[in-house]
Amino acid sequence: DQQVKQNSPSLSVQEGRISILNCDYTNSMFDYFLWYKKYPAEGPTFLISISSIKDKNEDGRFTVFLNKSAKHLSLHIVPSQPGDSAVYFCAASARGGGSNYKLTFGKGTLLTVNP
Amino acid sequence: DTGVSQDPRHKITKRGQNVTFRCDPISEHNRLYWYRQTLGQGPEFLTYFQNEAQLEKSRLLSDRFSAERPKGSFSTLEIQRTEQGDSAMYLCASSLGLAAVVETQYFGPGTRLLVL
């Protein structure tokens, strides 16, 4: 039972254009969402997060949108740069239930930004 | 460098051997997590410490796995009698857990285990 789904295994965009990565979740208890970027042979690097009390959070070229009714979030990267090429993971946490802060991850989307 | 560190970065072992991995979290972080990532999958939660107390273990963590965090600082993950199915990237993450404050987990570079 996959509670966090990234249905696009890969995405290819041109440098300077917008990259949109999507994520769906099924567990209505999730209330905190994060995006991580991962290069080969390295650990995931935190990018941006959003709490369920918000519907948008922006940090430089990165914006995350949350649609709670649809249980959907997306990461927008504008403008895309070749250095953004990596695997992007969506992760979710259900913090309201007490001491359990573990992250549940999707399978990732490989983003390739072409020069 | 004040990030999360893990040692070793790579480990090759033969089936049946024991292995131990170490994680040093960011110094002021009280929470420490272990995850496992296999090819084509996202990281999967294994276990979680708050200070020195191990508060949750995933059902993925069989009896052959044991984790410790003595004195609430570094942590070790030991796998006994390794099997080929244990081959994976083992990731450690830490966070500063404060009540009513959103927290972000920061990951180390991982230890890649290959069981022959």
Side-chain angles (χ1 to χ4, degrees), chain A residues 32 34 36 38 41-44 46 89 95 99-103 105-107, chain B residues 9 31 33 35 37 40-43 45 48 56 102-105 107-109:
Chain A
Y32 186 49
L34 308 91
Y36 287 85
K38 188 178 184 301
E42 294 184 11
F46 170 71
F89 289 100
R95 295 171 300 115
S99 64
N100 182 349
Y101 299 94
K102 68 182 181 185
L103 296 178
F105 284 82
K107 291 187 176 183
Chain B
R9 293 291 305 274
R31 293 189 178 134
Y33 305 79
Y35 292 83
Q37 185 180 16
Q41 303 294 317
F45 170 78
Y48 153 60
E56 185 176 352
V102 296
E103 63 175 81
T104 298
Q105 293 181 27
F107 283 81

Side-chain angles (χ1 to χ4, degrees), chain A residues 28-33 50-53 93-97:
Chain A
S28 58
M29 297 299 292
F30 287 148
D31 58 0
Y32 186 49
F33 305 89
I50 187 166
S51 168
S52 59
I53 61 174
S93 171
R95 295 171 300 115

Side-chain angles (χ1 to χ4, degrees), chain B residues 43-101:
Chain B
E44 295 174 290
F45 170 78
L46 291 179
T47 190
Y48 153 60
F49 291 85
Q50 178 147 324
N51 300 311
E52 67 276 7
Q54 188 174 17
L55 296 184
E56 185 176 352
K57 293 193 291 185
S58 163
R59 62 181 183 275
L60 292 176
L61 217 63
S62 75
D63 291 345
R64 297 183 297 106
F65 288 71
S66 62
E68 294 182 341
R69 193 183 182 198
K71 303 177 184 178
S73 56
F74 71 92
S75 176
T76 58
L77 177 67
E78 181 183 16
I79 309 175
Q80 295 183 327
R81 305 181 303 281
T82 53
E83 302 173 354
Q84 288 181 326
D86 297 331
S87 296
M89 171 79 87
Y90 289 84
L91 294 161
C92 176
S94 71
S95 67
L96 180 60
L98 299 172
V101 174

Side-chain angles (χ1 to χ4, degrees), chain A residues 34-56:
Chain A
L34 308 91
W35 285 93
Y36 287 85
K37 179 170 76 172
K38 188 178 184 301
Y39 295 115
E42 294 184 11
T45 301
F46 170 71
L47 272 179
I48 191 169
S49 62
I50 187 166
S51 168
S52 59
I53 61 174
K54 296 184 176 181
D55 54 18
K56 176 182 175 181

Side-chain angles (χ1 to χ4, degrees), chain B residues 1-57:
Chain B
D1 189 316
T2 57
V4 179
S5 61
Q6 293 186 245
D7 183 70
R9 293 291 305 274
H10 304 273
K11 179 70 177 179
I12 299 175
T13 191
K14 293 182 179 179
R15 184 165 52 96
Q17 298 295 305
N18 299 344
V19 294
T20 300
F21 310 141
R22 177 181 170 120
C23 170
D24 287 272
I26 295 171
S27 59
E28 66 269 24
H29 284 185
N30 59 340
R31 293 189 178 134
L32 187 148
Y33 305 79
W34 285 97
Y35 292 83
R36 180 176 71 184
Q37 185 180 16
T38 53
L39 197 62
Q41 303 294 317
E44 295 174 290
F45 170 78
L46 291 179
T47 190
Y48 153 60
F49 291 85
Q50 178 147 324
N51 300 311
E52 67 276 7
Q54 188 174 17
L55 296 184
E56 185 176 352
K57 293 193 291 185

